[in-house]
Amino acid sequence: MPVPVPTARAPGALFRLVVVAVLGFASGLPLALTGQALQAWLSVEGVDIATIGFLSLVGLPYTFKFLWAPLMDRFELWPALGRRRGWLVLTQAALAGALWLLASISPTGALQVFALMAVAVAFISASQDVVIDAYRTDLLPPAERGLGASLNVLGYRLAMILSGGVALIWTDATQGSGWSWPQVYRLMAALMAGAALLSALVLPRLPPPAGPAAPRSSARNDLLGFAAVVAAVVVGYLATLHAFTPLARVLLGPWLAGTALAATLQARWIDLLALVFGLAFTLPLAAWAARRARFDTLISGLSSYFSQPGAAAFLLFIVLYKLGDAFAGALMTPFLLKSMAFASAEVGVVNKIIGLWLTLGGALLGGLLMLRLGLWRSLMLFGVLQGLSNLGFWWLATMGKGSLPGLLIPAFDWGFVSLSHATPVDGGLLMVIAFENLSGGMGTAAFLAFLMSLTQQRFTATQFAMLSAFASVGRVWVGPLAGVLAESIGWPVFFIVSTVLAVPALLMLWLMRPAVQRLEVIPGAPVDD
């Protein structure tokens, strides 16, 4: 059923949408710095692809942020700033400090310390996302959420153009500015400090939600509950390191010894099995610890979500919808830089700048199409396009460079970024990136609107954090598997596998059509409950 076009006659509608775009920028900036920009830094330093794949696990906080999101629902740090903005200022200021520290560590000289600091950046960034997601969902009325989702993606992708695209040009010694990656990270730290100042002085304070201003629970129980969950995670990490890794070595070692895989790749397969064992142990342990410690806000928020019809099915769909897309993109930067041997500036211009601008166009187009198509039809159409875009990378890996006529990007100097001389752009790379980013932008806009439609205002931070954490499972957790698979089976077969992984979500969406269509709202509909 089509969703009526919002009229935006309500006072402040334009300002609300601008705020959403600005917050999207603040969210996207550190994400690239623990993802594709970090992979580019590691690639330049000569780290192997399988290790880079495992280092995608620095993004683990994005998949567990719902564990501490209840504290952001429960506690108000600074009454003068309101329930959300106090947390926003704190996380953005902390991000500035963490990025500055990360810039001072060598990824080759102290890889473990570097990885732990990157995890800290991801933890603070995930915490910022919790607040931004809750703030945005509380700020936008239902009729504005489709367009708001598109503008959020707009700001998010603009930030990734800067931290993931322009940064690659800055670090190209031949064609770009010749910056070092530590210099780039220090600049991003300064930008996050500016974002904290902007959040403190400019963003509007939200009125309290209908009903309780915050979930009513024992502050002592919430703090003890969070501590219990952290303790469970530490126990799980130690068990993985000292028990499950040796067990995985015993189980896989004899079989791997009879293969032609390199010793380093064999070790990565053992690490992968140990990781699966560790997760199977740690997640139930953390759930048990939360219940025993009476982590009330977490339990109440999750119970409220799971009381909705089809809640578990929605969670499974959330994991699957972006899985194929995440699998293909998990190691995109190392694929283009190391395996395809494209120049850093060429990847920066095509994949990170031209490609991300196309994503912005896709996100805005997706938001406009959603106004006519409705939520279910948008998810289906954009999901099909996302899956097909993975075949473009299969074609690129099979055909190689120079299969299509290319372009020549002339030298330029825009002050903040420049190319010292004309840069050739491969035609096949440009075509594949264009299709992938257009379809990905549309899919992300529809998916974000879908997530917002599932939350309840009293537990926005907790519930949206849980939903977006499940959505990030593919982006974070497929990295180790992607790394060992790409080196084991080769890139062409790898991209075929990523395309197949997009099919289950579409089949599930077809079966869930009535449930998804019930989430489509019209102006004036109740927000929740």
Side-chain angles (χ1 to χ4, degrees), residues 39-411:
Q39 290 180 357
W41 187 357
L42 294 168
S43 297
V44 169
E45 294 287 339
V47 179
D48 63 273
I49 289 177
T51 299
I52 293 174
F54 266 86
L55 285 175
S56 69
L57 292 178
V58 302
L60 278 178
Y62 289 102
T63 68
F64 290 115
K65 58 187 177 181
F66 64 91
L67 295 177
W68 61 89
L71 302 181
M72 297 177 170
D73 265 333
R74 175 64 178 81
F75 296 104
E76 187 172 349
L77 289 181
W78 193 353
L81 291 178
R83 183 182 173 200
R84 305 299 185 196
R85 287 169 62 213
W87 285 106
L88 192 57
V89 172
L90 174 64
T91 54
Q92 290 173 340
L95 267 172
L99 287 170
W100 192 274
L101 287 175
L102 182 62
S104 66
I105 303 171
S106 168
T108 53
L111 183 59
Q112 186 173 7
V113 176
F114 181 86
L116 290 174
M117 194 66 236
V119 170
V121 172
F123 173 81
I124 305 168
S125 177
S127 302
Q128 181 198 214
D129 287 354
V130 169
V131 188
I132 288 177
D133 291 337
Y135 186 94
R136 181 185 63 243
T137 306
D138 292 346
L139 179 69
L140 296 178
E144 295 175 10
R145 287 177 180 170
L147 188 55
S150 297
L151 291 173
N152 177 83
V153 175
L154 171 66
Y156 169 89
R157 294 293 182 173
L158 280 173
M160 293 188 71
I161 286 175
L162 182 63
S163 61
V166 172
L168 280 171
I169 299 176
W170 284 338
T171 56
D172 192 305
T174 303
Q175 296 166 295
S177 303
W179 285 24
S180 69
W181 277 107
Q183 287 177 303
V184 171
Y185 274 67
R186 291 188 188 101
L187 175 61
M188 299 306 161
L191 290 177
M192 289 309 306
L197 187 63
L198 187 68
S199 296
L201 301 179
V202 177
L203 296 190
R205 175 173 176 170
L206 298 180
R216 303 298 185 185
S217 61
S218 165
R220 179 178 179 275
N221 284 354
D222 281 345
L223 292 174
L224 289 176
F226 177 66
V229 169
V230 171
V233 172
V234 171
V235 170
Y237 170 76
L238 294 175
T240 302
L241 191 64
H242 298 293
F244 298 129
T245 299
L247 176 61
R249 188 175 296 115
V250 170
L251 294 176
L252 279 185
W255 178 77
L256 290 171
T259 68
L261 295 177
T264 54
L265 196 52
Q266 292 182 27
R268 293 295 173 261
W269 277 109
I270 291 171
D271 291 342
L272 187 60
L273 181 60
L275 177 64
V276 172
F277 286 154
L279 283 175
F281 172 78
T282 305
L283 293 180
L285 180 64
W288 175 83
R291 289 194 299 269
R292 290 286 294 177
R294 298 174 61 189
F295 196 170
D296 295 335
T297 306
L298 174 64
I299 295 170
S300 298
L302 298 185
S303 297
S304 179
Y305 169 77
F306 281 104
S307 67
Q308 302 177 79
F314 281 138
L315 282 185
L316 179 59
F317 171 73
I318 286 169
V319 172
L320 294 176
Y321 188 71
K322 281 285 187 177
L323 185 60
D325 200 40
F327 204 85
L331 295 170
M332 186 55 58
T333 301
F335 165 67
L336 295 176
L337 289 176
K338 298 187 72 172
S339 300
M340 297 299 297
F342 290 114
S344 178
E346 185 177 7
V347 173
V349 169
V350 178
N351 190 35
K352 306 299 183 180
I353 296 183
I354 296 177
L356 288 178
W357 275 111
L358 290 169
T359 303
L360 299 181
L364 292 173
L365 177 61
L368 293 174
L369 288 175
M370 283 182 65
L371 299 175
R372 298 297 178 188
L373 295 175
L375 184 59
W376 182 85
R377 287 192 292 177
S378 297
L379 286 168
M380 178 61 74
L381 174 60
F382 304 158
V384 170
L385 293 176
Q386 281 180 167
L388 293 177
S389 69
N390 291 350
L391 291 177
F393 293 107
W394 163 81
W395 176 86
L396 186 64
T398 302
M399 301 302 294
K401 298 170 62 173
S403 300
L404 294 177
L407 302 175
L408 190 66
I409 303 296

Side-chain angles (χ1 to χ4, degrees), residues 454-523:
L454 293 176
T455 60
Q456 297 167 305
Q457 195 176 16
R458 285 183 297 131
F459 300 102
T460 309
T462 302
Q463 292 183 357
F464 202 103
M466 179 188 66
L467 297 175
S468 58
F470 273 79
S472 67
V473 164
R475 176 174 56 82
V476 174
W477 287 102
V478 303
L481 178 60
V484 293
L485 268 184
E487 290 205 353
S488 300
I489 64 178
W491 287 108
V493 179
F494 172 81
F495 287 119
I496 291 293
V497 171
S498 72
T499 304
V500 173
L501 288 176
V503 175
L506 300 177
L507 296 176
M508 192 172 184
L509 181 61
W510 181 265
L511 297 175
M512 294 169 53
R513 180 173 185 171
V516 175
Q517 288 180 327
R518 283 195 293 269
L519 298 173
E520 298 178 354
V521 297
I522 59 174

